[in-house]
Amino acid sequence: MENLAGWASEASAHAASVDRLMLAFTLMMVALSVPVFVLMAVFAVKYRRGRTANRAHPVNRNVWLEVSWAIVPFLLTVVFFVWATKLFADLYDPPADAIAIDVVAKQWMWKFQHPGGQREINELHVPAGEPVKLTMASEDVIHSLYIPALRLKQDVVPGRYTSMWFTADRPGTYKLTCAEFCGVDHSVMGGSFIVMTPAAYERWLGQSQVDDTLAAAGAVLFRERGCSGCHGPGATVHAPPLTGLYGRPVPLEGGGVVTADDQYIRDSILLPQSQIAAGYPHIMPTFQNVLSEEEVLQLVAYIKSLRSGSPEGMRQ
Amino acid sequence: MSERIELHEPFSDAAQQHEAGMLGMYVFLGTEMMLFGGVFAVIFVTRALHPAEFVAASQKLHVFIGALNTGVLLTSSFAVALAVAFARAARARLAAGLLVAAAGLGLVFLGLKAFEYTLEIHEGLLPLFSRPANFSGPVEHLFMNLYLVATSLHAIHMTIGVVLLTGLAWRIARGGVPLPGRVALVENSGLYWHFVDVIWVFLYPALYLAR
Amino acid sequence: MTMDNALERRPNPDDLNDRGLSETQDERVSYLRAGHTLRSWLLTTDHKRIAILYLISVTLFFFIGGAAAALVRADLLTPQADLLTNEGYNRAFTLHGVIMVWFFLIPSIPNTFGNFLIPLMIGARDLAFPRLNLLSWYIYMLGGLFTVFVLIAGGVDTGWTFYTPLSSMFSNGHVVMVAVAVFVVGFSSILTGLNFIVTVHKLRAPGMSWGRLRLFVWAHYATSLILVLATPVLSVTLALVAAERLFGLGIFDPKLGGDPLLFQHLFWFYSHPAVYIMVLPALGVVSELVAASARKPVFGYRFIAGSSIAIAIIGFLVWGHHMFVAGQSMYASAVFSFLSLAVAVPSGIKVYNWTATLYKGHIELDPPFFFAASFIGLFVVGGLTGLVLAMLAVDVHLHDTYFVVAHFHYIMVGGTVSAYFGALHFWWPKMSGRIYPRIWGRLAAIFIFLGFNLTFFPQFILGYLGMPRRYHVYDPSFQVLHVLSSAGASILGVAYLMPFTYLFWSMRYGAPAGPNPWDVRGLEWTVPSPPPKHNFEEIPVVTGPPYDYPLEREGDQGEAGDAAEGNAAEGNAGSRA
Amino acid sequence: MSLVRTLSLVWAALLGLLLLTLGASFALTGPASLAASLAIAVAKAALIYWFFMHLREEGGLVRLAALGVAAWLVIFTLLTSADYAMRP
Ligand code: HEA
Ligand code: HEA
Ligand code: CUA
Ligand SMILES: [Cu+2]
């Protein structure tokens, strides 16, 4: 039973809040249902057929009574709805300084890339007490990254990025699994989620074999795959410069403006005809079957690093 | 006229039978509507996801052939509506003739559709059939897939309708369907035909007229 | 008292050795004896015979699905993969889900008891379109046999939800064939729904106003609306998946700019309302069983009737609660979560009104009461845990865990299957004309209840601890709970077999039932058991409300009241002033 | 026969609407175009249902059945597109 700690313990403040919510909700469920059970049993005994009991004036309708037992439980649950929705909304609001870790799911393994370029498979190391944001992509079918100790899961959907963030605060080793049915080996697509003290995490990062940071790997791809031929400084083609693109609003051809987030950059690479930046020709080819999800994530990391003025990803 | 209507189990009078038949037919058409509703939802979502490419792809369709076809279908519906009116007035030959006309227009529709498909095959635009296919991008491919699915599903319904109407006209002409005793048969076949027409009335703008 | 009456109706009341062995007068002219050939059954348009055909075939599929469940539970006894391969397990639970949902639970109550009882309850000779009704059974069988064929051919491994792109591009099972089977059986649902709607609207006996319809009929009317409006969307969705698989359509494929989540929207637009297809008829049955057990007018008839319709309508607005972590927009999730709470309100009304109905009733602890009580208990637990899942932050944790599995088995198995058995026990005397030993009925109900809880309660805990569903290799720390669950399943399996022994026994040895063995009200209890071929000699004229049990006034209490009422009830129930 | 006259008028109106929608599709773009073409399609369908499909002679029930399905389709498409519209 001690193994259960890998599943059930609360590894974050969010997990504790979810448990509190669940406990309170359970109490409400008891309050709403136990009267039904008790009364049914009592009536079945008291009003047995053939038994003498006062059955005078049985009511067969009472609108106020009925309305009240429709409304009161509903209002009770609305309180919980507000509570749960608040907690849920927090999950969509990652702090800006969160450590950005990329996740790629494929049948049947989890691949993680840390910003410094460290990669691991089926294990995720994170520092305690610091917010972490996962950006997740799938190579094939829908998977779902589930870390029970955080009370969190998020589907990983092919064709787009989904994300999940948390601040784990209890060092330890927990379970990490795939929750969305994804084919033959779904039930063995899992591993460990390891929360370390910040110092231990630094040490762990140092030990791993790293060729390049993510952004640097992206910079290499940017040249190798010919992006720089069009987007580079010396290009003859009329293509938008990508420096400072991330987070900026981009006016689109045919009206409309989008913010250049991860998803937009990804779509620009894989489905370039979808959203054309205003004023540019439709010439960018698709890299659909050329780049793997990991490589796209590296390119995205590289383009993100191209903040105006500080092309840090370029240094090598 | 109601005394001359044939009664079936378990109905006890003609009005009840007529209303039940009508309601049943409308509910059935409702299910067909929901069936196509799924297709329409897919079309709308695709348009919402890729507005510009959707419009570009739509513009490659033969909008005037589509318009002509809409006209043909509307006219056939008119013929069927007339046929029902005459069937109720027990003018069997006229009704049968109009049904044949409607079915004929249905064939014209299918013929034009087939012609359109061949044009698209040559343009490299029709999935499955064009070899080699020649799409400007994935979304155009997706659009044409949708187009093929939606129009062929509609064409299947049309074919059923044509068979239904011709068979009915034939039986009326041979006196196999006493009128107005079994006018419900004509009415219900008519409802089906009109319904297939209505589907096209929505498919046409959804696919051809996206701007 | 009523039993004695029934015994007197035997062909030869003096011959005590004649324990109902020979035919009674009523049976000789009943629908059961109207033609003995196989042909007379297979080509019948009598709604009662079609109901029997459904009863047999639906129950058969329950046991096929149950056998798959047994396989699943046996495999889960150990944390490793020793009984089945990974692929084999996936096929086992997929077929379990597919068969149980589409070939057992959806047709279960409507197509058997609905078919049998709706015309009787509204005072009609048959459904509006008897031949369509037969066609619907043939379509059902076609789809069903096709599924059995797929089962033999190797099965599918997508889960009953067929999520894309797994089903459309990656799975190597027979997805297209199963999609075809479910597509086909959909038309059976549609035809049944259509038939019920038209029947309820157009074939009510004179005087049978909407306010006098039985709650069972209201529930089936609501169910039919869902059948008709939702099923076609499933049909087209499965057709698209099949086309996607065969021709690479791309609608659900991001490589062409399609969206995998669109499938989930289409699927759940059908499948969430479909869960109410599964439960509404059961709610209707339980309303009848509760009223009959209490022998008292139902409390809040209007609210119960209206809540069926409300469930059908609101039920269409909540499908997104299956997609909270799928990548749906956060705002859409919040809306769907809120609407999911709204759908609990009408369910709550039913539960509380049933309880109030029992108050001051004359409750007989017959098997139908036992089944109704276990339905209520298990439905409430299942429903309230549904609300847990509708809470956004909690569902993020519980989605796709055993908590969900426990939730829906509580409603579908604890709820609907109990109601199915309850209906079988309540209307069996009407359908077969014979009475079964009540004690066995009570025992079966109790065993089912206990076995059920042992099977599925541990799964709530498993789920909260984080055990994902559709896993057959699992962490050894979960084994204890899984073993408990499997042990419960074996009790449950045996308990489900029990009724079939004594019900079959009763067909030959049971005492003849007489028209109204439970001494309750309703048009179906005014005709002989089993009913004659055309139900009513003469279409009845209804002049009073449903459930018009006599009420007691100050003074007349207990036994005296019961006896007086028993006499008044004789024969003319349902059509009295 | 005045019924024939009515039906002919409806037919003419339908063809007129067809021309209108064709014209509108060239004149308008974007959401306006979508709205116009949908509105015209609804108008056409309404004409067909009302006159050709006998809704005008039938009782409230049949009309309700026809309208009900339309309402359901609207719910279905609106709630589905709500997700797409509100995704970031
Ligand atoms: C018959 C089948 C049935 C029924 C009736 C229901 C009824 C409900 N279901 Fe359930 N559900 C399923 C079958 C069913 N469900 C299935 C099969 C799945 C899984 C599908 C899959 O992924 O494979 C599922 C999954 C499921 C989920 C998704 C879980 C997930 O995958 O993450 C959710 C989330 O909201 C949910 C909610 C509800 C709610 C709120 C109800 C409500 O209708 C319940 C209403 C009833 C009550 C609440 C109890 C009685 C009321 C009272 C005692 C009064 C007091 C209460 C209040 C008014 C507050 N269900
Ligand atoms: C609709 C109705 C329905 C019914 C009635 C049942 C009935 C049962 N279900 Fe089912 N179940 C589903 C619908 C249903 N289920 C669905 C939709 C899923 C999801 C599938 C998916 O994920 O895609 C599911 C999934 C599911 C799982 C999860 C699998 C997983 O996620 O890995 C489990 C595990 O315990 C399970 C168990 C059972 C059991 C023990 C019964 C019992 O009640 C069955 C009892 C009946 C019998 C046992 C048969 C009678 C006896 C015999 C034939 C004799 C032989 C038997 C023995 C000797 C034991 N079911
Ligand atoms: Cu990956 Cu399940
Ligand atoms: Cu649901």
Side-chain angles (χ1 to χ4, degrees), chain A residues 127 130 196-205:
Chain A
E130 287 177 42
M196 315 172 91
T197 59
Y201 178 67
E202 280 310 317
R203 238 175 300 131
W204 177 84
L205 285 181

Side-chain angles (χ1 to χ4, degrees), chain A residues 32 73-74 77, chain C residues 160-161 268 272 275-276 278-279 321-322 324 340 343-345 347-348 351-352 379-380 383-384 386-387 389-390 395 399-400 404 407-408 411-412 469-470:
Chain A
L32 289 176
F74 179 68
T77 43
Chain C
W160 80 284
T161 47
W268 291 116
H272 184 84
V275 309
Y276 298 114
M278 305 177 211
V279 87
H321 67 205
H322 296 272
F324 289 156
S340 303
V343 85
V345 174
S347 308
V351 169
Y352 294 129
F379 171 72
V380 165
L384 289 171
L387 288 180
L389 293 170
D395 186 63
H399 173 72
D400 271 346
V404 178
H407 153 66
F408 65 73
I411 294 196
M412 306 207 291
R469 61 192 280 210
R470 297 166 172 175

